[in-house]
Amino acid sequence: MRWQYSIHSQNKKFLFIFFALLTVSLLLSAILYLFGPPLIPLWYSLPSPAEQLAPKVYFWVFPILSVLVAILAIWQGRKSNLEHSFYLSRLAFVSGLVLLILLLIAQIRIMKVIL
């Protein structure tokens, strides 16, 4: 049994979207790190906002999580010898993209509050 480490040709467009979202996440984190305030409301809640501030270095959590999600989705989305390989890989790519988009929305929301 030979294990193939390639992507289905129909799913290659997902790789471009993954890397585009990762680039946007990295750029947003770099912009906030350079031009943002020293403390950011990363875990903000209305009752006690002063206790929920974090140093701006912690904003790099979003790109790190995005890279981990992308790596896991690409790993699960590779070609295999399973019976429904294409459908499983499509499910892995779509679920990874949904998670990346949710992370990007959270990142943009925090930047909108700050800047």
mmCIF file of all heavy atoms in Angstrom, residues 7 11 18 23 25 31 38 55 57 64 77 81-82 100 104 107 110:
data_model
loop_
_atom_site.group_PDB
_atom_site.id
_atom_site.type_symbol
_atom_site.label_atom_id
_atom_site.label_comp_id
_atom_site.label_asym_id
_atom_site.label_seq_id
_atom_site.Cartn_x
_atom_site.Cartn_y
_atom_site.Cartn_z
ATOM 1 N N ILE A 7 -2.395 16.624 -3.270
ATOM 2 C CA ILE A 7 -3.714 17.216 -3.122
ATOM 3 C C ILE A 7 -4.512 16.916 -4.392
ATOM 4 O O ILE A 7 -3.962 16.907 -5.489
ATOM 5 C CB ILE A 7 -3.593 18.748 -2.916
ATOM 6 C CG1 ILE A 7 -2.681 19.080 -1.741
ATOM 7 C CG2 ILE A 7 -4.943 19.397 -2.743
ATOM 8 C CD1 ILE A 7 -3.174 18.627 -0.398
ATOM 9 N N ASN A 11 -9.034 20.532 -5.505
ATOM 10 C CA ASN A 11 -8.875 21.213 -4.220
ATOM 11 C C ASN A 11 -7.669 22.145 -4.176
ATOM 12 O O ASN A 11 -7.398 22.750 -3.144
ATOM 13 C CB ASN A 11 -8.754 20.189 -3.089
ATOM 14 C CG ASN A 11 -10.048 19.462 -2.850
ATOM 15 O OD1 ASN A 11 -11.117 19.949 -3.192
ATOM 16 N ND2 ASN A 11 -9.966 18.291 -2.263
ATOM 17 N N PHE A 18 -6.116 29.517 1.444
ATOM 18 C CA PHE A 18 -5.459 29.365 2.743
ATOM 19 C C PHE A 18 -4.308 30.352 2.888
ATOM 20 O O PHE A 18 -4.207 31.067 3.886
ATOM 21 C CB PHE A 18 -4.909 27.939 2.907
ATOM 22 C CG PHE A 18 -5.875 26.973 3.509
ATOM 23 C CD1 PHE A 18 -6.280 25.861 2.795
ATOM 24 C CD2 PHE A 18 -6.365 27.153 4.777
ATOM 25 C CE1 PHE A 18 -7.153 24.961 3.332
ATOM 26 C CE2 PHE A 18 -7.246 26.254 5.332
ATOM 27 C CZ PHE A 18 -7.643 25.147 4.610
ATOM 28 N N THR A 23 -1.777 35.297 4.936
ATOM 29 C CA THR A 23 -1.056 36.542 4.667
ATOM 30 C C THR A 23 -1.798 37.738 5.238
ATOM 31 O O THR A 23 -1.192 38.627 5.858
ATOM 32 C CB THR A 23 -0.851 36.720 3.153
ATOM 33 O OG1 THR A 23 -0.181 35.567 2.647
ATOM 34 C CG2 THR A 23 -0.050 37.957 2.847
ATOM 35 N N SER A 25 -3.868 37.716 7.766
ATOM 36 C CA SER A 25 -3.760 37.637 9.219
ATOM 37 C C SER A 25 -2.395 38.110 9.701
ATOM 38 O O SER A 25 -2.296 38.849 10.695
ATOM 39 C CB SER A 25 -4.019 36.203 9.672
ATOM 40 O OG SER A 25 -3.908 36.077 11.048
ATOM 41 N N ILE A 31 0.580 45.148 11.506
ATOM 42 C CA ILE A 31 0.106 46.537 11.580
ATOM 43 C C ILE A 31 -0.253 46.899 13.012
ATOM 44 O O ILE A 31 0.117 47.966 13.505
ATOM 45 C CB ILE A 31 -1.095 46.739 10.637
ATOM 46 C CG1 ILE A 31 -0.627 46.735 9.192
ATOM 47 C CG2 ILE A 31 -1.840 48.035 10.954
ATOM 48 C CD1 ILE A 31 -1.761 46.702 8.184
ATOM 49 N N PRO A 38 -0.110 49.902 23.595
ATOM 50 C CA PRO A 38 0.658 48.863 24.292
ATOM 51 C C PRO A 38 -0.218 47.753 24.879
ATOM 52 O O PRO A 38 0.240 46.631 25.038
ATOM 53 C CB PRO A 38 1.400 49.619 25.389
ATOM 54 C CG PRO A 38 0.723 50.917 25.503
ATOM 55 C CD PRO A 38 0.047 51.208 24.224
ATOM 56 N N PRO A 55 -0.948 42.503 26.713
ATOM 57 C CA PRO A 55 0.076 43.173 25.901
ATOM 58 C C PRO A 55 -0.154 42.885 24.418
ATOM 59 O O PRO A 55 -0.706 41.858 24.038
ATOM 60 C CB PRO A 55 1.379 42.538 26.380
ATOM 61 C CG PRO A 55 1.076 41.951 27.703
ATOM 62 C CD PRO A 55 -0.365 41.598 27.686
ATOM 63 N N VAL A 57 1.722 41.966 22.165
ATOM 64 C CA VAL A 57 2.430 40.804 21.630
ATOM 65 C C VAL A 57 1.482 39.606 21.516
ATOM 66 O O VAL A 57 1.617 38.781 20.616
ATOM 67 C CB VAL A 57 3.636 40.449 22.534
ATOM 68 C CG1 VAL A 57 4.312 39.179 22.106
ATOM 69 C CG2 VAL A 57 4.613 41.594 22.575
ATOM 70 N N ILE A 64 -0.710 32.528 14.578
ATOM 71 C CA ILE A 64 -0.191 31.218 14.967
ATOM 72 C C ILE A 64 -1.298 30.176 14.898
ATOM 73 O O ILE A 64 -1.105 29.078 14.358
ATOM 74 C CB ILE A 64 0.440 31.281 16.375
ATOM 75 C CG1 ILE A 64 1.707 32.129 16.335
ATOM 76 C CG2 ILE A 64 0.718 29.893 16.915
ATOM 77 C CD1 ILE A 64 2.279 32.464 17.684
ATOM 78 N N GLY A 77 -6.539 17.038 4.256
ATOM 79 C CA GLY A 77 -7.088 17.136 2.920
ATOM 80 C C GLY A 77 -6.247 16.519 1.830
ATOM 81 O O GLY A 77 -6.568 16.654 0.655
ATOM 82 N N ASN A 81 -5.777 6.642 0.035
ATOM 83 C CA ASN A 81 -6.353 5.477 -0.625
ATOM 84 C C ASN A 81 -7.712 5.107 -0.046
ATOM 85 O O ASN A 81 -8.187 4.002 -0.239
ATOM 86 C CB ASN A 81 -5.396 4.280 -0.492
ATOM 87 C CG ASN A 81 -4.125 4.507 -1.263
ATOM 88 O OD1 ASN A 81 -4.138 5.195 -2.277
ATOM 89 N ND2 ASN A 81 -3.032 3.952 -0.784
ATOM 90 N N LEU A 82 -8.331 6.017 0.684
ATOM 91 C CA LEU A 82 -9.633 5.739 1.263
ATOM 92 C C LEU A 82 -10.713 5.758 0.187
ATOM 93 O O LEU A 82 -10.535 6.317 -0.903
ATOM 94 C CB LEU A 82 -9.956 6.770 2.346
ATOM 95 C CG LEU A 82 -9.003 6.788 3.532
ATOM 96 C CD1 LEU A 82 -9.369 7.915 4.470
ATOM 97 C CD2 LEU A 82 -9.056 5.467 4.269
ATOM 98 N N LEU A 100 -10.533 29.496 9.646
ATOM 99 C CA LEU A 100 -9.656 30.629 9.337
ATOM 100 C C LEU A 100 -10.456 31.923 9.183
ATOM 101 O O LEU A 100 -10.023 32.987 9.637
ATOM 102 C CB LEU A 100 -8.859 30.362 8.067
ATOM 103 C CG LEU A 100 -7.653 29.459 8.201
ATOM 104 C CD1 LEU A 100 -6.989 29.269 6.857
ATOM 105 C CD2 LEU A 100 -6.676 30.011 9.189
ATOM 106 N N LEU A 104 -10.149 35.303 11.432
ATOM 107 C CA LEU A 104 -9.905 36.591 10.787
ATOM 108 C C LEU A 104 -10.977 37.608 11.176
ATOM 109 O O LEU A 104 -10.674 38.778 11.407
ATOM 110 C CB LEU A 104 -9.839 36.418 9.275
ATOM 111 C CG LEU A 104 -9.264 37.572 8.484
ATOM 112 C CD1 LEU A 104 -7.831 37.855 8.903
ATOM 113 C CD2 LEU A 104 -9.316 37.267 7.005
ATOM 114 N N GLN A 107 -10.159 38.786 14.620
ATOM 115 C CA GLN A 107 -8.999 39.673 14.564
ATOM 116 C C GLN A 107 -9.395 41.055 14.055
ATOM 117 O O GLN A 107 -8.976 42.077 14.609
ATOM 118 C CB GLN A 107 -7.944 39.042 13.664
ATOM 119 C CG GLN A 107 -6.613 39.700 13.701
ATOM 120 C CD GLN A 107 -5.599 38.937 12.869
ATOM 121 O OE1 GLN A 107 -5.933 38.044 12.097
ATOM 122 N NE2 GLN A 107 -4.339 39.289 13.034
ATOM 123 N N ILE A 110 -11.377 43.013 16.769
ATOM 124 C CA ILE A 110 -10.527 43.585 17.810
ATOM 125 C C ILE A 110 -9.776 44.806 17.263
ATOM 126 O O ILE A 110 -9.653 45.828 17.939
ATOM 127 C CB ILE A 110 -9.553 42.525 18.356
ATOM 128 C CG1 ILE A 110 -10.331 41.491 19.153
ATOM 129 C CG2 ILE A 110 -8.487 43.158 19.230
ATOM 130 C CD1 ILE A 110 -9.511 40.302 19.601
#
